[in-house]
Amino acid sequence: MQIIVKENYDRMSKLAAEMIADLVRKKPRCVLGLATGSTPLGTYRELIRMHHEEELDFSQVATFNLDEYIGLPPTHEQSYMYFMCRNFFDHINIHPANVHVPSGITEEVPSYCEWYEKEIKEVGGIDLQLLGIGANGHIGFNEPGSSLGSRTRLKMLDEKTVKDNARFFSRLEDVPHFAITMGIATITETRQLLMQANGENKAGAIARSVEGPITAMCPASIVQMHPQVTIIVDRAAAKKLTRRYPSEPPPLTPGK
Ligand code: GLP
């Protein structure tokens, strides 16, 4: 597990974007797992800049998003499909047919979830999964208590998550209480995990995930089991970590 502590949100976002861009350049047909929330916005902005200024090419890239609120059509401003289009897809040259965000309006949730899993397998699996983290330790919408072996399915949101996400809606009553989310096993099957966290309200969740026990009560702690994980945090989110961590990825060949 590689934990990298950057000075601020901008540096955190730039490093994450560089890692993603690196993969896209090396493997133009790569499969990216993407996340929503305020955390990855800076990363998406930087990738958009690279697309415009450095010809970063997404034409063959496929993407799978982690989750979607139940009940929100893709045209709803708070749906994750809408979020992804506004903040990323509309600004790069990705092929719409290569974009996958779970549907929040499917009437057949279990078979839809099976289909989503099958689609991931059919493209050869996800190369890199970008992750944020909830203040309660959730990843995607896998709330505390989620099975560590779970697959894509319907989940009820924690009261804390509903309150945390209410800032994006005009009224607390408008926040959906259910979502479709990739499961924890779906997430850990990806070849590489890239988690980001910024701000003091994530410090507890980061400390529990990185230095605490692996437990379903802190779903993000499953990252400890994955062979290829990078966690990039800003100083505020690193506040409760007790061990020493670098501010740069280690050099490939150790210096003298
Ligand atoms: C939502 C998403 C998660 C995200 C989390 C954190 O609940 N389902 O994927 O990581 O919010 O959001 P933020 O980055 O806004 O703190």
Side-chain angles (χ1 to χ4, degrees):
M1 224 174 16
Q2 211 173 64
I3 323 292
I4 301 167
V5 182
K6 300 303 284 183
E7 292 152 63
N8 54 41
Y9 178 77
D10 259 18
R11 298 260 161 113
M12 175 195 82
S13 306
K14 284 207 167 107
L15 178 57
E18 273 163 31
M19 289 179 60
I20 296 170
D22 236 34
L23 172 67
V24 173
R25 286 193 195 101
K26 281 188 192 129
K27 188 176 176 186
R29 294 179 72 90
C30 67
V31 182
L32 300 176
L34 298 178
T36 53
S38 49
T39 311
L41 281 175
T43 306
Y44 293 145
R45 267 198 299 271
E46 181 61 10
L47 288 169
I48 294 167
R49 188 198 64 74
M50 288 174 172
H51 168 65
H52 291 300
E53 295 175 15
E54 298 167 17
E55 291 172 9
L56 185 63
D57 179 18
F58 292 91
S59 61
Q60 299 183 77
V61 171
T63 65
F64 285 85
N65 261 77
L66 285 167
D67 46 12
E68 179 60 283
Y69 288 117
I70 287 287
L72 303 193
T75 47
H76 190 288
E77 282 192 19
Q78 293 311 327
S79 78
Y80 283 169
M81 177 57 120
Y82 192 93
F83 174 101
M84 288 308 299
C85 291
R86 191 185 45 196
N87 294 301
F88 194 36
F89 300 145
D90 286 352
H91 311 282
I92 57 171
N93 64 334
I94 195 155
H95 198 292
N98 291 342
V99 161
H100 306 81
V101 179
S103 166
I105 51 170
T106 175
E107 281 172 9
E108 286 296 328
V109 175
S111 54
Y112 181 83
C113 293
E114 267 174 44
W115 172 83
Y116 201 70
E117 291 269 337
K118 215 169 93 228
E119 288 290 291
I120 295 174
K121 282 209 175 81
E122 265 169 24
V123 294
I126 295 171
D127 291 298
L128 182 149
Q129 177 66 55
L130 187 61
L131 290 171
I133 182 171
N136 64 1
H138 76 220
I139 45 175
F141 271 129
N142 293 284
E143 299 286 23
S146 292
S147 159
L148 300 180
S150 53
R151 318 289 324 184
T152 303
R153 69 212 183 291
L154 184 75
K155 276 300 284 181
M156 186 164 84
L157 309 193
D158 247 24
E159 244 177 272
K160 164 123 187 76
T161 304
V162 171
K163 280 192 194 131
D164 283 353
N165 290 359
R167 69 201 140 114
F168 299 112
F169 291 80
S170 9
R171 299 175 316 163
L172 178 66
E173 304 83 83
D174 294 340
V175 188
H177 285 250
F178 291 88
I180 287 184
T181 179
M182 275 187 204
I184 297 180
T186 323
I187 293 170
T188 51
E189 260 169 33
T190 65
R191 287 185 267 281
Q192 191 182 351
L193 296 179
L194 175 53
M195 181 181 272
Q196 293 179 289
N198 66 288
E200 218 170 323
N201 70 323
K202 299 290 173 70
I206 283 294
R208 281 185 286 123
S209 306
V210 173
E211 296 180 348
I214 298 169
T215 164
M217 292 314 286
C218 179
S221 62
I222 197 67
V223 295
Q224 296 176 39
M225 292 293 288
H226 198 283
Q228 195 152 355
V229 182
T230 306
I231 302 176
I232 313 174
V233 295
D234 73 349
R235 282 215 187 109
K239 236 176 174 171
K240 294 194 174 157
L241 292 172
T242 61
R243 303 187 60 83
R244 193 171 168 228
Y245 299 103
S247 60
E248 295 295 335
L252 291 176
T253 43
K256 286 180 192 155

